Amino acid sequence: MGSSWSSWDPLSVCTGGPEPSQPSQSDAEHQVNQRAQAEFVRHAEELEEAMMQEAMYQSLVHEHEPSEVHEDADLQEALQQSLRPAAPPECPTEESIRLQTLLDFLGMKRLDVGSTNLSEGGSLLSNQCFYLAIARSWLASADNGSGMLVRDSALQLKREIEACVFCARGDAGELGDEAEAYTDYLSCVVQGQSPASASAITDLAIAIFASSLGGIEAYVGKGYSSLPREQQVSNLALVWHRPGHFEAVVAINGGKMDINLGELIDIAQSQNVVAAVVQA
């Protein structure tokens, strides 16, 4: 459905990625500055939703942990950090502007859903932005992706995706509760050979908007293409990757976009956005 590009890096990690290149001094400089201002506005608008989700999260911590843990200074500091807005992004590049223009054309927006979650036992987990972003976009039609539903689903996605990685590679060294997530984990998922092979994850398609490259890479589960269009729309998750972080991509109202993967790729290519598809 699309062509790949030679500079694509499938091992873009959740933290510590390469710094984005600086925009060239050209006639587009004014547009770049406007994008930077828009980023500040977007982060301010998202802060209220992030604080609401973290309030729900903190409530769950209190519910599952004994009272003496509530006084733990490290835990309280971690929760307070999660309530603070993220640092403003770097000045947009020509590549990220190209992708943002595509989102604007489609009536989509980026939504930062944070990077912390809880384990099954109630322990605080960091480096979860990859799974949270997938879950929020996938479940956007379910009450605009309510906080606890997203968090529970993100944890389940993490377990199933990591099971696929272990099955495909036979090495658990890079996996773990707080291990950084790699986009190429999804290439293991599309093979569909794991304990999770009968789960809903094999019917998903996940499109990664790589802002530092200005292109899209989509990972298609083995069952996705056989689904009717309505189900393909429901099972499409859209994720924005910028150096150091993953964000959900949703409709401008926070809900689900009425688009399937094939339609997204066609529109992207019509807007001169390069796309690559990875499937079994």
Side-chain angles (χ1 to χ4, degrees):
M1 281 187 285
S3 58
S4 61
W5 58 93
S6 59
S7 60
W8 178 266
D9 178 13
L11 298 180
S12 301
V13 297
C14 185
T15 58
E19 294 295 326
S21 59
Q22 293 297 318
S24 59
Q25 297 296 323
S26 66
D27 293 339
E29 184 174 355
H30 179 64
Q31 183 184 10
V32 170
N33 290 335
Q34 286 183 320
R35 290 290 183 187
Q37 294 174 0
E39 286 291 291
F40 282 101
V41 173
R42 184 180 67 82
H43 276 267
E45 291 175 344
E46 291 175 2
L47 178 58
E48 182 177 356
E49 176 170 338
M51 291 182 68
M52 179 182 68
Q53 291 210 19
E54 290 301 336
M56 296 174 66
Y57 172 64
Q58 186 170 358
S59 175
L60 188 62
V61 170
H62 291 333
E63 178 181 347
H64 286 280
E65 295 191 355
S67 58
E68 60 268 23
V69 178
H70 298 168
E71 306 301 324
D72 185 273
D74 291 338
L75 175 59
Q76 292 302 316
E77 175 62 19
L79 290 170
Q80 289 301 316
Q81 287 287 349
S82 69
L83 288 171
R84 296 169 187 162
E90 297 290 335
C91 185
T93 64
E94 291 183 9
E95 290 79 9
S96 65
I97 287 175
R98 187 183 310 127
L99 278 187
Q100 184 61 55
T101 300
L102 175 61
L103 294 192
D104 295 341
F105 179 81
L106 290 167
M108 297 178 179
K109 69 174 182 178
R110 296 155 53 188
L111 186 63
D112 192 337
V113 288
S115 60
T116 56
N117 203 357
L118 289 177
S119 71
E120 293 86 349
S123 299
L124 187 70
L125 302 179
S126 59
N127 289 332
Q128 304 302 303
C129 58
F130 182 56
Y131 307 106
L132 288 165
I134 294 173
R136 177 60 176 84
S137 179
W138 176 27
L139 301 171
S141 60
D143 194 24
N144 281 357
S146 63
M148 297 318 304
L149 175 62
V150 168
R151 292 187 182 280
D152 290 345
S153 299
L155 183 61
Q156 184 65 25
L157 283 169
K158 172 183 173 65
R159 300 308 186 204
E160 295 191 0
I161 289 173
E162 288 188 342
C164 292
V165 174
F166 180 75
C167 183
R169 300 178 181 176
D171 181 7
E174 63 182 305
L175 307 175
D177 275 355
E178 297 188 289
E180 297 169 343
Y182 296 77
T183 56
D184 83 323
Y185 284 5
L186 299 177
S187 64
C188 301
V189 173
V190 302
Q191 296 177 22
Q193 298 177 347
S194 77
S197 60
S199 74
I201 195 172
T202 59
D203 289 337
L204 294 182
I206 302 172
I208 307 293
F209 291 72
S211 67
S212 61
L213 300 173
I216 297 172
E217 181 155 305
Y219 296 84
V220 186
K222 65 177 184 178
Y224 182 82
S225 60
S226 62
L227 298 174
R229 181 187 179 278
E230 181 180 1
Q231 194 64 36
Q232 288 185 357
V233 170
S234 297
N235 283 16
L236 176 61
L238 308 174
V239 176
W240 181 282
H241 178 241
R242 57 182 172 89
H245 198 49
F246 291 93
E247 300 171 331
V249 174
V250 295
I252 200 68
N253 64 357
K256 191 81 173 181
M257 284 296 301
D258 184 19
I259 192 171
N260 65 14
L261 180 62
E263 294 161 354
L264 173 65
I265 297 297
D266 288 344
I267 294 173
Q269 292 178 333
S270 73
Q271 298 296 309
N272 298 317
V273 173
V274 180
V277 177
V278 179
Q279 55 189 351

